[in-house]
Amino acid sequence: MMAGKKIDTTPVKFVLVGVVNTIVGTSVMFIMYNVFSFNYWISSAANYVVGSIVSYFLNKYFTFQDKEKSWKTVVRFVLNISVCYLIAYGLARPLVRMALGGFSQTIQENIAMLAGMCLFVVVNYIGQRFFVFNNSSQKEEK
């Protein structure tokens, strides 16, 4: 154990992983929606299927340095991603529709996907930090 307080770098690492994850997932989402004409839910869900795989491994080993080999962590991660997705995108779409009612559906749904991404980042960090990888964080602090 080091003398003095250790600086918590997990938020910075989480943001770095998020940048990589966002580039990959957002590309998938907008290409599926705008190029291949998949609907809002399929396009945004594809973002999180692909992005979540990237996010899981980068956050597990890089951000939270979780060495535990457990299916419980995978189940908690999938549960967290699913709940965060439903909350973020479930809120974003109706809120953007109310705010941008005069715009086309395509514009509304593109903006809703961006808003959903922003909401997702906040609730996902909280979920991963305190629910998914909570055990490893507590072990390192002891």
Side-chain angles (χ1 to χ4, degrees), residues 79-89 119-120 123-125 127:
L79 181 61
N80 179 66
I81 293 294
S82 300
V83 169
C84 292
Y85 168 77
L86 291 172
I87 290 170
Y89 284 85
L119 289 170
F120 182 87
V123 292
N124 183 40
Y125 175 76

Side-chain angles (χ1 to χ4, degrees), residues 27-47 93 105-106 109-110 113:
S27 298
V28 168
M29 179 172 66
F30 286 122
I31 288 169
M32 288 186 72
Y33 186 80
N34 293 300
V35 176
F36 296 110
S37 300
F38 284 95
N39 72 30
Y40 174 86
W41 291 109
I42 292 172
S43 300
S44 61
N47 175 2
R93 193 175 190 197
Q105 181 177 348
T106 300
E109 290 187 346
N110 274 284
M113 287 187 286

Side-chain angles (χ1 to χ4, degrees), residues 5 11 30 45 55 58 82-83 89 91 102 110-111 140:
K5 288 192 173 186
F30 286 122
S55 176
L58 289 177
S82 300
V83 169
Y89 284 85
L91 287 173
N110 274 284
I111 300 297
E140 288 180 355

Side-chain angles (χ1 to χ4, degrees), residues 1 59 70 76 78 103 119:
M1 184 171 183
N59 279 317
S70 167
R76 286 192 308 255
V78 169
F103 290 88
L119 289 170

